[in-house]
Every structure is written in C-alpha cells, then in structure tokens.
Amino acid sequence: MEHLIELRRRLMWSIGGFFVAFLFCFFFAKQLFNLLVVPFKWATQWAGLDPHKVELIYTAPQEFFFTQVKLAMFGGMVIAFPLIATQIYKFIAPGLYKNERNAFLPFLIASPILFLMGASLVYFFFTPMVMWFFLAMQQAGTDDQVQISLLPKVSEYLSLIMTLIFSFGLVFQLPVVTSLMTRVGMLSSQALVEKRKWAIVIAFVVAAVLTPPDPISQIGLAVPTILLYEVSIWSARLIERSKERERLAREKQEAAEEVAEKSADAPST
C-alpha cells in the first residue's frame, strides 16, 4: 500500500504539472503557432519570396481550434517533462543503491538537454530546408501553365514540424540509452562497433519512416543518427574504462583490507 500511495502522489504531481503547462500553452497557443511559423518565413526568404505574405489556411471550422489543442498538449508535455522525469526518479530512487542513483541522475539531466538540441536543429535548420524544398515546387502562372502555389493547412504544418521535432528529439536520446545499457552491462562498445553496418542501414530506414517523403529531411535525420551512434560508441568506451578503474580500485582495497586482517591476526613476537 505504501508503494501504491507513493505512486498515486507522483502521478498526481505529474498530471497536475502537465495540466498547468497545457493551460499555459493553450492560452498562448496563437503566439506559439506564430513562433513555429518563423522557419517557414525563413524558407520563403531563401526561395526569393516575400516573407510578409506567408499564408496558412484551415478548411474546417474546428480545425484551427483542435490545432491549438494539439499544440498546447505538445508544448505542455515538453514543459512538464522535467517535472515528470523528476517524479519518476523520486519514485524509483528509494529502490536503488547509492552508486546506481549517482549513475542514473546524470542521464536524467542529459535527456532533456539532448532533446532540446534535436528540437533546435529542427527549428533553425531542417524545417526551413524542408519548406524551401516544397516551395521550390511552386509553379508560376503563364499562358501555358497554371498557377500552383503552396498554401499549407495549419494542422498539416503543425503535424510536420511536430513530427520532425519528435523524430530528432527521439534520435538524440541514442547516447543516453546506449550509455545506460553499457552502465548496467547489457551492451558493450565492441558490440556497438560490430553492429555499425546494421546501424547505418537502420538509421536510413527509420529516417524514411519518421520524416516526410523528401530526401532533405530523410538524409538530415539519418546523418545525425549515424554521428550519434559514433558518439555512443565513444561514450560506451569511457564508461567501460571507468568501470574497469573502479573494479581495480575495489580489488586493491579488498587486497589491502585482507593484508590488514592477516597482520592483525598474526601473533605478536
């Protein structure tokens, strides 16, 4: 019952934090959406168009409202994630040894930082690149051609940028996951090196599934994934060296204690 009461308390804090963050984001939903449209404006500048004439549409009366709700839920989860992760850590921490808590805490801090790095890469580089790629497909109206202009729907644009942010944020967790698995002994740097070829293939397959069907975003996700895989190998080697030093230090301490015990038990002359 004590565990269930503790779990209920942690869930209440997590849900409450998410609800407050959701209300905050919903109140500023239009401002947040305008902030997400900034990469689209950058893309129009790259395409030689007027960024002040960027236009998005919605074709159903309720579409923009539900788009704001979806944006508020996404923003609320991002804002409340540190609180939710802290509550998860506080729930499982009493069941961990001190060295396990010390090993787990740095990864808890690194996870949101890496997610923000992936989201920033999407916002400042890949979203403008993807939108510039789509804007380049527009067709100017002439005597022989019809006018074809890009008028994205608010819901589809939000889905695109949320998919990119989620994909890159998830991929940027690769060093955290592999480091944790190495720390607990489920993975080794040698195994990562041996599976490098498969990892490259899987990176391009995952990029093709998670990103829109354009080569820029697919290559843009696959290349950082491969680089992060190399970072994971380097991180796993550092962890293995640290564990080896700890093992040698522990054996040295145990040997010293054994010698001290034998000296204490030896008869005095």
Side-chain angles (χ1 to χ4, degrees):
M1 288 299 298
E2 292 179 356
H3 291 294
L4 292 176
I5 293 172
E6 178 71 12
L7 177 61
R8 183 183 64 179
R9 182 165 66 250
R10 300 304 175 191
L11 286 174
M12 290 176 63
W13 275 102
S14 300
I15 296 173
F18 168 74
F19 184 70
V20 172
F22 169 81
L23 292 178
F24 175 81
C25 291
F26 185 76
F27 183 78
F28 295 101
K30 290 184 178 180
Q31 290 84 347
L32 291 174
F33 191 85
N34 288 327
L35 186 63
L36 293 178
V37 175
V38 172
F40 190 13
K41 294 182 178 180
W42 294 339
T44 58
Q45 287 182 318
W46 296 355
L49 304 174
D50 186 2
H52 300 290
K53 295 184 178 180
V54 171
E55 182 181 359
L56 287 85
I57 63 172
Y58 61 97
T59 57
Q62 73 280 7
E63 181 179 346
F64 189 44
F65 171 77
F66 285 113
T67 299
Q68 294 180 69
V69 172
K70 186 186 298 185
L71 176 59
M73 292 180 64
F74 183 75
M77 183 59 67
V78 172
I79 294 175
F81 177 79
L83 174 64
I84 297 173
T86 301
Q87 296 304 313
I88 294 174
Y89 175 75
K90 287 183 177 180
F91 179 72
I92 65 175
L96 302 176
Y97 293 107
K98 183 178 180 180
N99 60 334
E100 293 175 336
R101 291 197 297 268
N102 294 335
F104 186 78
L105 189 58
F107 299 109
L108 188 65
I109 298 173
S111 182
I113 294 176
L114 289 173
F115 184 88
L116 290 177
M117 290 175 59
S120 299
L121 188 64
V122 169
Y123 184 85
F124 290 104
F125 182 71
F126 283 105
T127 299
M129 287 291 295
V130 170
M131 296 309 299
W132 172 79
F133 176 81
F134 292 141
L135 283 169
M137 297 182 177
Q138 293 186 125
Q139 180 174 284
T142 62
D143 294 337
D144 300 327
Q145 297 178 341
V146 298
Q147 177 77 24
I148 301 177
S149 302
L150 175 62
L151 291 175
K153 296 171 62 177
V154 291
S155 59
E156 293 175 349
Y157 179 79
L158 180 64
S159 297
L160 172 64
I161 196 168
M162 283 176 53
T163 300
L164 289 174
I165 290 175
F166 177 77
S167 301
F168 277 77
L170 186 65
V171 165
F172 269 65
Q173 303 304 310
L174 183 60
V176 174
V177 175
T178 54
S179 298
L180 278 173
M181 294 178 69
T182 304
R183 174 70 68 177
V184 299
M186 297 176 60
L187 199 62
S188 66
S189 59
Q190 183 61 33
L192 291 173
V193 171
E194 293 174 353
K195 301 296 188 298
R196 181 185 278 120
K197 295 180 180 179
W198 288 102
I200 294 174
V201 175
I202 293 173
F204 280 95
V205 172
V206 171
V209 173
L210 294 179
T211 60
D214 66 279
I216 295 177
S217 57
Q218 292 177 3
I219 296 174
L221 180 59
V223 172
T225 304
I226 296 170
L227 294 177
L228 288 169
Y229 189 84
E230 297 297 326
V231 172
S232 300
I233 295 175
W234 174 76
S235 177
R237 286 172 177 169
L238 290 180
I239 292 174
E240 289 173 347
R241 292 172 186 172
S242 176
K243 291 175 65 177
E244 182 65 19
R245 287 194 298 267
E246 292 175 358
R247 185 185 66 81
L248 293 176
R250 186 168 58 253
E251 291 180 354
K252 184 177 180 180
Q253 183 179 1
E254 292 175 354
E257 292 175 353
E258 185 177 352
V259 171
E261 290 177 358
K262 289 182 179 179
S263 300
D265 294 338
S268 57
T269 56

